[in-house]
Amino acid sequence: IRLMKKIPPFITMDLCKNNKKRRLTVISDVACDPNNPNNPVPVYDSITTMFDPIRRVIDDSNNPLDVTAIDHLPSLIPLEASEQYSDDLI
């Protein structure tokens, strides 16, 4: 997904850091476009990989926030992705 025009962000780092009642601890960004100025999930600045899949963006022992943003994840595991997608449709 590549956004061509700005939309309001789904979540921001300020919102995550300043909300003491935040329950969100993991974000999985399947669009994975951190360098796009129109990124609706501007809480991380680089992708993760299959070998290093998680990036901690808020390192708070009481309330951390991790991001998974593996570029082209379905193409890295096509058989598993296809089987899961098929199962979900049925």
Side-chain angles (χ1 to χ4, degrees):
I1 299 171
R2 178 147 175 90
L3 290 175
M4 303 309 271
K5 62 181 181 175
K6 192 94 173 143
I7 64 170
F10 297 134
I11 193 150
T12 65
M13 188 59 84
D14 286 340
L15 185 63
C16 292
K17 284 184 176 179
N18 297 327
N19 185 347
K20 300 299 180 201
K21 295 181 181 179
R22 174 177 54 86
R23 293 175 31 196
L24 180 67
T25 59
V26 176
I27 295 173
S28 182
D29 186 1
V30 295
C32 196
D33 201 4
N35 299 316
N36 183 341
N38 301 321
N39 179 11
V41 188
V43 297
Y44 67 103
D45 59 5
S46 59
I47 63 172
T48 60
T49 67
M50 288 289 284
F51 303 105
D52 189 18
I54 299 170
R55 174 158 294 119
R56 177 140 301 165
V57 293
I58 297 179
D59 195 10
D60 177 343
S61 60
N62 294 322
N63 200 5
L65 179 61
D66 296 327
V67 171
T68 297
I70 301 172
D71 204 13
H72 305 293
L73 180 59
S75 66
L76 294 174
I77 49 173
L79 176 62
E80 292 86 349
S82 294
E83 288 174 345
Q84 182 65 47
Y85 185 71
S86 310
D87 290 344
D88 290 346
L89 287 175
I90 295 178

